[in-house]
Amino acid sequence: MEAAATPLYHFISSHQPLTQKKPGCYSTNFGLVNAAETLAETSPPTSLESFSTLQSDCNKKFHSLNSVKAMHAKMIKLSREWDIKKNMQYVISGYLKFGDFQSAAVLFFVGFAENYLYWNSFLEEYTDFGGTPCEILEVFSELHSKGVNFNTEILAFVLKICSKLRDVWLGLEVHACLIKKGFDLDVYTKCALMNFYGRCCGTESANEVFKETSTRDSLLWNEAILVNVRNEKWAEGLRMFRDMQALLVKANSLTISKVLQACGKLGAFDEGKQIHGYVIRYALESNILISTALINMYVKNDYLKLARVVFDSTDNRNLPCWNSIISGYTALGHLDDAWELFHEMKACNIKPDIITWNSLLSGHFLHRSFREVLAILRRMQSAGYQPNRNSITSALQAVSEIRYLRIGKEIHCHVIRKGLEYDLHIATSLVDMYVKNGDLTSAQAFFDCMPNRNVCAWNSLISGYSCRGHFEKAGDLLNQMKEEGIKPDIVTYNSMVSGYSTSNCIKEALGMIRRIKSSGMSPNVISWTSLVSGCTQQGYFREAFEFLTQMQEEGIKVNSVTVASLLQACAGLSLLHIGKEIHCLCIRNDFIDDVYVSTALIDMYSKCGNLENAQTVFQRLENKTLASWNSMITGFAIYGLGTEAISLFDKMREANIQPDAITFIALLSSCKHSGLLDKGWKYFDHMKTDFGVVPTIEHYSCMVDLMGRVGYLDEASDFIQSMPTEPNAAVWGALLTSCRIHGNVELGEIAAEYLFNLEPYNAANYALMMNLYALSNRWTDVDRIRDKMEAMGVKIGPVWSWLKVNQRIHIFSSAGKTHPEEGEIYFELYKLISEMKKLGYKPDTKCVYQDIAEVEKEKVLLGHTEKLAITYGLIRTTSPAPIRVINNTRVCSDCHTVAKHMSLLRRREIFLKDGVRFHHFRDGKCSCCDFW
């Protein structure tokens, strides 16, 4: 006999009254339940008067547990003459209200035939009053052990609770019971079994249940797809949906929404469009759940316009629908549009929730609007919303990026006030915030107070120490981590690789790569990229390409960060051809839309002498970041195109991009290379007052260089004396260079004295001073400087120039081996010089800093490496492609004049990169307008 037919008093022992609990307390005493009697007894007949009294009692509120029991007794006595379903639920609620969870559960099971549609609400009400689903299973187990028989609906209900609680063994017992009773073929039971196995044992077991079913109706297909998608088996869920449609089985709205979610996760745009067609065909567009899923699918596939079309065509938009479209706009960088939608939503009387605010926070963070993240957080709190873990994490990450330690500490105080410091996600973010703000003491102190520390927290602290060169402390933490039973993962070791690489400890970084292998793991793309990136940051460009070769030999494919680092190496070595090949790689692998890659491409083309390509990449960027603008402004600066740089800065401001310190360094550099003194002063004066950017030593150095180049040497000297910070070598070096340009020995000697103290082994400073003395024919002082260098063991390195012809690098150096085709080169150069003299060219012998005769000086000028390199390029190349020469020193005025004449006589474009900037020669003119 099924339990639904058994009155409750048959389950209650007359010898042991049912123990009651206060709400929120739990008991596991089931000795009170007596299931020995399983035969239903007939209730005595009742009068109409008794029935009226019962209805009157039901309409009154329960005031105690005894009143609930009294009502229950009447319900049993008069069960034939009143609405059992309604009043049974009423009594169950009474038991829950007064904390008698066992009686509520027993009554629910006993009356399941009347209650099976009510089970979801029962679970919710049960937990709201302080009960736990575990207690429901305990009641079921006790009844089952007493021999009570249950129908399929009860067993399916119990399986759902087992799924919720991950109670595998009880679920398996229920499955066995279903098989024994022959209930396992019931479709609802099958669905419950699939749900149970999917949650507790994995999709493979759930799919086995599905495969063993001979007759599969729509309910079963829908459940099978949901189980797979719920377990993130996106491709399998999509395949099942396709098979389901081939059999003409109709999907429900929940299944369609989940399959659309799978299309978003897999980037399956075509499949998503087909499902959209299915939705239209069956007139399901009005279903808000499906519409929201369509919006999310299009957003995940980067088709924001289509998502907006779906949104605009949706009637009765609810909050999740608005959140989906706002989240899409923020995720894809359309922040202004997202705010417009936010205000439109409020105008439609849809109140934003924490999800709305969090999507705005995360979107602004992802697109590097870090200050706006903090502003949104304040606005959100002012609107009465309490930040949750996601809100706080976004804010902490923003603080980490802009180095606002004070605000980070304020957020930490908020976390403590709200009792959120025990949230592991927030705690780890706090450690990371302190680490990235350079406050390792606070990071360590908070880390030590964390009751539970996951591998992420350990990794963050180890990374902080290793990236700042504290390798001993990082190593100690690594050992401590192991002692506490936390196994280091690949991220742990990668942080050490990165730290060693950026600290110029390449051998140690390689040692850590070997340690990764010995620990049973394989170095991944991040391991090798850390090594490549570290090399490029330290200027070891050739080594970066060597490690790339090793990385490829191990079968590891590059990612966007690797590519950005390699482009930086190409820029450092001026390897335009390889940079173009990497550009092609970016296009093939869809890296081109990555903002870091695009910025690196702009930088590479600018520094490799192809400003036109740099501009093309910049113009094609849809979402230009501050770094992109800075890179392009810098590109104009190194070509001496000050007007273009300023114009681009104005466009950047029109795009509401806030400049930073790097922007102003690029602007001031463009002014100094173009001689724009007034503009330079304007930006220097306004950078702090108008943009909140405090000038650093780099900005002061640019201003000294700018004033010095245009001849305001005394003003530059006074400016140095008034600086709020101590001048460094860059500042004094800028003044000395200007003194050499304008022949001011007195100020040059002052600058040189500081430089010799700051950089006693920098040969460039001694060379500059010798050149200045040579210009004034003070050869005794030249010899004095040379003797000083010799006494200190300082040597001037060789001057060299190189160019690439037919995939080969040809180097021309002032020391070492001569070029094998030297004879032909000099023959052509003599010929060119002869033609130039007819156009009025006169050798500038002031560029020779040797005490020799004028005739000898002219011969020395012919041997300048940039002249030889350009001449060789004219001999060996016939295509209209420009000749590109790289030189390691500032080009002298004579070579500059010769290059202009060569471009005119041979009708060739010549790009010359010296130690400071680019010169673009065409038709007898240079891009620098003879100001460099």
Side-chain angles (χ1 to χ4, degrees):
M1 181 76 63
E2 293 186 2
T6 310
L8 180 64
Y9 61 82
H10 280 275
F11 295 111
I12 308 298
S13 171
S14 58
H15 304 291
Q16 292 178 299
L18 188 63
T19 303
Q20 312 303 329
K21 305 182 296 177
K22 295 179 181 179
C25 303
Y26 310 119
S27 170
T28 55
N29 180 14
F30 285 90
L32 303 175
V33 181
N34 182 4
E37 295 179 301
T38 58
L39 294 176
E41 295 189 2
T42 304
S43 299
T46 55
S47 66
L48 185 60
E49 183 181 353
S50 300
F51 174 61
S52 300
T53 304
L54 178 62
Q55 280 190 317
S56 176
D57 290 341
C58 286
N59 292 328
K60 296 176 183 178
K61 287 187 178 181
F62 294 126
H63 53 81
S64 66
L65 182 60
N66 287 333
S67 65
V68 179
K69 290 180 178 180
M71 174 59 67
H72 191 183
K74 286 185 179 181
M75 183 187 81
I76 295 171
K77 183 178 180 181
L78 305 174
S79 61
R80 291 184 181 275
E81 299 186 22
W82 68 311
D83 188 347
I84 294 178
K85 179 179 178 182
K86 176 181 176 181
N87 291 291
M88 187 176 288
Q89 293 172 7
Y90 187 63
V91 173
I92 288 173
S93 296
Y95 278 125
L96 291 173
K97 179 180 177 181
F98 293 102
D100 191 348
F101 300 113
Q102 291 179 14
S103 295
V106 171
L107 181 56
F108 182 78
F109 279 120
V110 168
F112 199 88
E114 288 76 24
N115 290 323
Y116 74 95
L117 294 176
Y118 171 62
W119 72 270
N120 208 24
S121 300
F122 170 71
L123 267 181
E124 185 178 344
E125 190 177 11
Y126 195 91
T127 54
D128 285 346
F129 278 108
T132 64
C134 292
E135 294 171 305
I136 299 174
L137 292 185
E138 288 170 352
V139 169
F140 169 79
S141 298
E142 185 67 19
L143 293 172
H144 181 63
S145 67
K146 298 295 185 181
V148 177
N149 294 316
F150 297 107
N151 60 19
T152 55
E153 286 85 359
I154 291 181
L155 295 175
F157 167 69
V158 170
L159 276 173
K160 288 175 182 177
I161 301 180
C162 289
S163 304
K164 188 179 180 69
L165 299 177
R166 303 294 195 272
D167 192 330
V168 179
W169 290 111
L170 182 57
L172 292 174
E173 286 183 32
V174 172
H175 191 182
C177 181
L178 286 168
I179 294 171
K180 283 193 292 184
K181 295 179 178 292
F183 293 158
D184 60 317
L185 298 178
D186 178 79
V187 65
Y188 293 100
T189 309
K190 281 285 187 182
C191 289
L193 279 170
M194 288 169 60
N195 178 55
F196 162 71
Y197 279 113
R199 291 184 183 274
C200 299
C201 304
T203 52
E204 292 79 7
S205 301
N207 288 340
E208 283 298 317
V209 174
F210 179 71
K211 290 173 185 177
E212 290 171 0
T213 307
S214 55
T215 304
R216 301 169 185 169
D217 64 1
S218 61
L219 194 64
L220 208 60
W221 273 105
N222 282 294
E223 184 65 32
I225 293 169
L226 290 174
V227 166
N228 280 273
V229 174
R230 195 182 296 125
N231 286 277
E232 299 185 359
K233 302 292 183 181
W234 312 113
E236 181 64 16
L238 206 53
R239 184 194 64 77
M240 281 188 162
F241 183 79
R242 194 181 296 113
D243 294 344
M244 176 184 180
Q245 295 311 301
L247 296 172
L248 302 179
V249 179
K250 191 174 180 180
N252 61 32
S253 59
L254 180 60
T255 302
I256 293 171
S257 68
K258 291 297 182 181
V259 174
L260 285 168
Q261 181 188 1
C263 292
K265 294 287 185 180
L266 296 171
F269 175 64
D270 290 336
E271 290 82 352
K273 283 200 301 182
Q274 291 170 17
I275 296 170
H276 193 175
Y278 176 90
V279 169
I280 295 170
R281 191 163 62 250
Y282 286 96
L284 298 170
E285 306 99 307
S286 60
N287 186 299
I288 191 64
L289 180 64
I290 293 175
S291 295
T292 304
L294 279 167
I295 292 167
N296 283 322
M297 184 275 293
Y298 282 125
V299 165
K300 295 289 184 184
N301 283 280
D302 297 340
Y303 284 91
L304 192 56
K305 289 182 180 178
L306 292 176
R308 186 58 186 264
V309 169
V310 175
F311 176 79
D312 290 340
S313 62
T314 302
D315 297 325
N316 302 318
R317 303 165 193 147
N318 60 6
L319 181 58
C321 186
W322 282 97
N323 282 344
S324 294
I325 194 69
I326 291 173
S327 176
Y329 273 98
T330 57
L332 297 175
H334 301 275
L335 304 178
D336 291 339
D337 294 324
W339 279 111
E340 285 182 16
L341 282 164
F342 178 82
H343 296 307
E344 186 183 340
M345 177 179 75
K346 292 175 73 176
C348 293
N349 294 320
I350 302 292
K351 189 178 180 183
D353 64 357
I354 191 69
I355 296 173
T356 320
W357 288 103
N358 283 345
S359 66
L360 290 166
L361 286 167
S362 62
H364 282 76
F365 172 77
L366 285 172
H367 295 281
R368 308 188 67 79
S369 298
F370 303 125
R371 290 178 179 83
E372 285 78 0
V373 170
L374 301 179
I376 292 168
L377 184 70
R378 286 191 291 270
R379 183 174 173 181
M380 168 184 166
Q381 289 178 294
S382 300
Y385 293 89
Q386 284 299 322
N388 63 7
R389 61 185 299 189
N390 294 329
S391 322
I392 292 170
T393 301
S394 293
L396 287 171
Q397 288 173 331
V399 168
S400 300
E401 293 293 335
I402 54 181
R403 305 294 191 266
Y404 277 9
L405 180 59
R406 180 182 60 81
I407 294 179
K409 288 183 175 180
E410 288 178 8
I411 295 173
H412 189 176
C413 292
H414 173 85
V415 167
I416 293 171
R417 285 197 303 271
K418 299 298 180 181
L420 298 172
E421 68 269 31
Y422 298 108
D423 185 299
L424 193 55
H425 196 62
I426 292 175
T428 303
S429 297
L430 278 167
V431 173
D432 192 59
M433 182 275 294
Y434 281 120
V435 165
K436 288 180 177 174
N437 278 277
D439 190 353
L440 291 176
T441 303
S442 296
Q444 182 73 65
F446 182 73
F447 178 83
D448 292 339
C449 294
M450 288 175 65
N452 298 308
R453 297 180 291 215
N454 60 7
V455 68
C456 296
W458 286 96
N459 288 345
S460 185
L461 196 57
I462 289 171
S463 175
Y465 281 115
S466 64
C467 288
R468 284 164 181 76
H470 304 303
F471 300 116
E472 185 177 351
K473 181 64 178 176
D476 291 342
L477 278 170
L478 186 60
N479 295 329
Q480 183 185 345
M481 177 182 182
K482 293 178 180 177
E483 289 171 2
E484 293 192 15
I486 305 292
K487 186 178 179 181
D489 59 11
I490 191 68
V491 178
T492 318
Y493 290 110
N494 283 347
S495 65
M496 297 292 288
V497 173
S498 179
Y500 281 127
S501 300
T502 53
S503 298
N504 200 14
C505 302
I506 305 301
K507 288 184 179 178
E508 289 80 358
L510 278 172
M512 193 56 64
I513 293 280
R514 289 191 288 271
R515 188 170 173 182
I516 292 172
K517 294 177 180 178
S518 64
S519 66
M521 292 181 280
S522 297
N524 60 10
V525 64
I526 298 174
S527 315
W528 287 105
T529 299
S530 298
L531 199 53
V532 171
S533 177
C535 287
T536 56
Q537 289 176 40
Q538 296 298 319
Y540 298 129
F541 304 124
R542 287 182 175 82
E543 288 79 359
F545 284 107
E546 289 172 6
F547 291 133
L548 172 68
T549 303
Q550 292 184 40
M551 175 179 173
Q552 290 175 320
E553 287 173 354
E554 295 199 7
I556 297 174
K557 293 183 179 180
V558 298
N559 62 12
S560 58
V561 182
T562 322
V563 166
S565 298
L566 292 172
L567 287 168
Q568 185 181 346
C570 290
L573 295 172
S574 297
L575 297 175
L576 179 61
H577 184 71
I578 295 177
K580 285 183 175 180
E581 290 179 355
I582 295 175
H583 191 174
C584 293
L585 175 73
C586 294
I587 294 171
R588 287 196 304 270
N589 291 278
D590 292 328
F591 294 151
I592 200 68
D593 292 328
D594 185 283
V595 66
Y596 296 105
V597 171
S598 298
T599 304
L601 278 168
I602 295 167
D603 184 63
M604 182 275 295
Y605 279 123
S606 298
K607 292 179 179 176
C608 289
N610 197 326
L611 190 62
E612 186 178 347
N613 277 8
Q615 287 178 275
T616 301
V617 173
F618 177 77
Q619 289 164 0
R620 288 178 178 174
L621 265 177
E622 289 188 12
N623 300 313
K624 297 178 178 68
T625 63
L626 175 60
S628 308
W629 289 96
N630 285 347
S631 188
M632 195 66 249
I633 294 171
T634 302
F636 284 127
I638 61 178
Y639 281 84
L641 303 174
T643 305
E644 288 82 352
I646 291 168
S647 175
L648 189 63
F649 174 75
D650 292 338
K651 290 179 181 177
M652 171 181 157
R653 294 297 301 126
E654 290 171 5
N656 294 320
I657 303 294
Q658 183 75 8
D660 64 358
I662 297 172
T663 315
F664 285 103
I665 291 173
L667 266 179
L668 294 175
S669 296
S670 67
C671 291
K672 80 177 182 183
H673 287 314
S674 304
L676 303 174
L677 181 61
D678 291 340
K679 288 286 186 181
W681 270 117
K682 171 190 170 184
Y683 291 121
F684 183 80
D685 289 339
H686 290 181
M687 60 186 288
K688 183 177 181 180
T689 56
D690 293 355
F691 302 101
V693 178
V694 179
T696 63
I697 196 70
E698 288 82 4
H699 300 101
Y700 286 104
S701 176
C702 284
M703 289 305 298
V704 171
D705 204 357
L706 172 57
M707 286 185 281
R709 283 173 185 271
V710 297
Y712 290 87
L713 295 172
D714 292 333
E715 288 80 356
S717 178
D718 293 340
F719 182 79
I720 292 173
Q721 301 305 321
S722 65
M723 284 171 53
T725 56
E726 191 70 23
N728 65 0
V731 174
W732 291 113
L735 182 62
L736 180 56
T737 300
S738 299
C739 289
R740 193 205 63 168
I741 293 171
H742 297 286
N744 190 322
V745 177
E746 183 181 352
L747 271 180
E749 286 179 330
I750 295 172
E753 194 63 34
Y754 280 103
L755 284 168
F756 295 159
N757 290 327
L758 290 168
E759 297 178 333
Y761 298 101
N762 187 346
N765 299 326
Y766 296 97
L768 275 172
M769 200 60 219
M770 285 194 294
N771 293 345
L772 180 55
Y773 282 135
L775 284 171
S776 304
N777 293 317
R778 293 173 57 170
W779 301 108
T780 304
D781 289 318
V782 172
D783 292 336
R784 178 175 57 81
I785 297 293
R786 189 178 287 115
D787 292 341
K788 185 176 182 177
M789 289 178 65
E790 189 174 341
M792 295 186 66
V794 179
K795 294 183 179 180
I796 297 176
V799 177
W800 50 258
S801 299
W802 65 266
L803 81 164
K804 191 173 186 179
V805 177
N806 297 328
Q807 306 303 316
R808 286 189 62 189
I809 302 292
H810 295 264
I811 301 173
F812 299 86
S813 177
S814 61
K817 293 175 62 177
T818 58
H819 194 276
E821 299 175 70
E822 185 182 58
E824 187 178 355
I825 295 168
Y826 274 107
F827 180 81
E828 179 65 20
L829 182 56
Y830 278 119
K831 185 177 169 183
L832 283 164
I833 294 294
S834 178
E835 293 179 42
M836 290 176 202
K837 286 181 177 179
K838 292 177 183 178
L839 298 175
Y841 162 71
K842 290 183 180 180
D844 187 358
T845 55
K846 290 182 180 179
C847 296
V848 179
Y849 308 112
Q850 298 177 35
D851 188 13
I852 55 178
E854 288 294 307
V855 176
E856 295 301 317
K857 287 183 178 181
E858 288 188 22
K859 291 180 181 178
V860 171
L861 286 174
L862 287 173
H864 280 196
T865 59
E866 50 265 64
K867 286 191 183 80
L868 299 175
I870 295 171
T871 303
Y872 186 73
L874 292 171
I875 295 170
R876 289 289 171 258
T877 61
T878 56
S879 68
I883 296 168
R884 302 178 188 276
V885 174
I886 313 299
N887 188 2
N888 70 331
T889 59
R890 183 179 181 272
V891 62
C892 72
S893 61
D894 185 72
C895 288
H896 192 268
T897 303
V898 167
K900 288 197 296 182
H901 279 93
M902 287 179 170
S903 71
L904 178 64
L905 289 168
R906 295 294 183 263
R907 297 281 186 254
R908 297 290 297 274
E909 282 187 78
I910 300 167
F911 286 90
L912 175 61
K913 181 183 181 183
D914 65 11
V916 180
R917 56 178 290 173
F918 263 103
H919 298 267
H920 180 195
F921 301 97
R922 180 167 54 188
D923 298 329
K925 296 178 181 179
C926 180
S927 60
C928 72
C929 299
D930 298 336
F931 184 87
W932 82 100

